[in-house]
Amino acid sequence: MDEIAVIIVDDEKEAREGVALLLEKDKEINVKALCKNGLEAIKAVQEHQPELMFLDIQMPSINGFEVLSSLSEANLPEVIFITAFDQYSLKAFENHAVDYLLKPFTDDRFFKALEFAKKRIYANRKNKENSNLTGLLGDIKEKATNNSPQQIVPEGGSNNKIINNRLVIKADGKIYFVDLSQIIWVQAYDYYVKIHVKERFYLVRESMKKMEQFLPSEQFIRVHKSSIINLHHVVELEPYFNNEFVATMSNGGKIKTSRNYRDNLSGIL
């Protein structure tokens, strides 16, 4: 039986290492990565394609549920949530969690959850073998009747485009056409940007410089090295220290401007 690739995600070092230590007792488990935040988790899933993820819920910037929403269905592993807060249990199972471990948990409770996850993984492998065979036969038939190449929006920053006042984003295994009017603000996040719309965000591998270049300047202005705001969603500007401001956005978010980008604000001040 092939080993099960696992990643562990928790912003507490002791918690990550504690789970890893427990997993050492199971020879069928291969821990591929220990991640201290949501962005590391997303990268680890893309790199290692794990079949199981132990995932903390409350983490800074990107929480556990946001990690899952940023992954395509094809990349989704089985998930065991680990948290110190029991109010998330219903939402965890709405996100198709295998189990929900409430800290502190016993070793017996941990291995019970692990055993159930392994059974689901082995069942998924068997189902995938059958579906792969069916899919292969379907591909052969399709190629015999259709030789034209498929047209898609490739992943990658420079290929995100604006069409008919909509930003084209490939995420979650789908292509989204996001009206520019829906974009509240854009946030720099390591080698990615988070494009915030109402009640969610899209995590895209892109630079702030490129975003600033292709978003229309009459609507979007850069107010900080890490922030581009949509003027249509600015509710108020509150004076801050050193000629800076705090912008309140339509979703309630607070974004601090920078003196270095004050000239960009001159048109609305």
Side-chain angles (χ1 to χ4, degrees):
M1 185 70 68
D2 292 338
E3 290 181 326
I4 296 173
V6 174
I7 66 172
I8 302 166
V9 187
D10 200 304
D11 61 342
E12 296 180 359
K13 183 172 184 259
E14 296 79 4
R16 295 193 302 271
E17 293 179 349
V19 172
L21 190 62
L22 287 172
L23 291 175
E24 286 182 359
K25 300 176 182 180
D26 193 320
K27 301 304 181 184
E28 297 177 357
I29 298 298
N30 184 357
V31 177
K32 294 290 188 178
L34 276 66
C35 309
K36 63 178 179 291
N37 57 50
L39 183 59
E40 286 190 3
I42 293 169
K43 292 179 178 178
V45 170
Q46 294 170 343
E47 179 180 355
H48 299 293
Q49 300 289 300
E51 292 180 282
L52 177 60
M53 175 163 57
F54 289 87
L55 181 62
D56 188 15
I57 293 178
Q58 279 208 330
M59 296 182 291
S61 298
I62 299 178
N63 65 38
F65 297 125
E66 290 171 333
V67 168
L68 296 183
S69 69
S70 299
L71 301 174
S72 68
E73 290 185 11
N75 284 342
L76 276 177
E78 299 290 350
V79 177
I80 296 176
F81 281 109
I82 299 179
T83 181
F85 304 92
D86 61 0
Q87 67 265 33
Y88 297 115
S89 58
L90 179 59
K91 188 172 182 180
F93 288 109
E94 287 175 350
N95 281 266
H96 309 292
V98 172
D99 210 333
Y100 181 94
L101 297 177
L102 188 63
K103 300 175 183 176
F105 48 82
T106 65
D107 289 4
D108 287 344
R109 179 70 182 87
F110 177 87
F111 286 112
K112 182 178 180 181
L114 177 61
E115 194 61 31
F116 182 58
K118 288 166 59 177
K119 288 179 180 178
R120 282 182 49 159
I121 289 167
Y122 295 143
N124 290 340
R125 286 181 179 178
K126 186 173 183 180
N127 291 336
K128 188 175 181 180
E129 288 175 0
N130 293 335
S131 63
N132 283 346
L133 178 58
T134 302
L136 176 61
L137 295 175
D139 287 344
I140 293 173
K141 182 177 180 181
E142 182 178 356
K143 288 178 180 178
T145 57
N146 182 12
N147 293 320
S148 60
Q150 295 181 348
Q151 299 298 318
I152 63 172
V153 180
E155 301 219 35
S158 61
N159 293 302
N160 292 321
K161 299 177 182 178
I162 294 176
I163 300 176
N164 295 330
N165 218 34
R166 295 188 297 175
L167 183 65
V168 182
I169 302 172
K170 185 174 183 182
D172 308 335
K174 303 175 185 177
I175 297 175
Y176 294 90
F177 294 83
V178 182
D179 287 339
L180 295 183
S181 61
Q182 295 178 353
I183 299 174
I184 299 172
W185 69 295
V186 180
Q187 176 187 13
Y189 198 82
D190 201 357
Y191 297 106
Y192 294 77
V193 295
K194 292 169 71 173
I195 300 172
H196 294 264
V197 299
K198 186 178 181 181
E199 297 179 350
R200 71 159 294 174
F201 67 84
Y202 300 94
L203 191 66
V204 180
R205 189 171 181 85
E206 185 57 275
S207 70
M208 290 292 284
K209 183 177 180 180
K210 285 288 184 65
M211 292 295 297
E212 188 179 14
Q213 288 174 351
F214 63 69
L215 287 172
S217 59
E218 68 275 7
Q219 184 177 353
F220 293 88
I221 61 172
R222 191 167 184 177
V223 296
H224 191 278
K225 67 179 182 179
S226 300
S227 307
I228 297 172
I229 61 174
N230 185 344
L231 293 176
H232 297 173
H233 284 276
V234 176
V235 176
E236 67 178 24
L237 285 173
E238 180 182 357
Y240 197 63
F241 298 109
N242 298 324
N243 294 319
E244 297 175 346
F245 291 84
V246 174
T248 300
M249 308 304 291
S250 61
N251 64 348
K254 302 282 188 179
I255 301 170
K256 190 168 77 71
T257 70
S258 168
R259 283 184 300 165
N260 295 335
Y261 293 90
R262 181 179 171 80
D263 289 345
N264 293 350
L265 279 171
S266 60
I268 62 173
L269 294 179

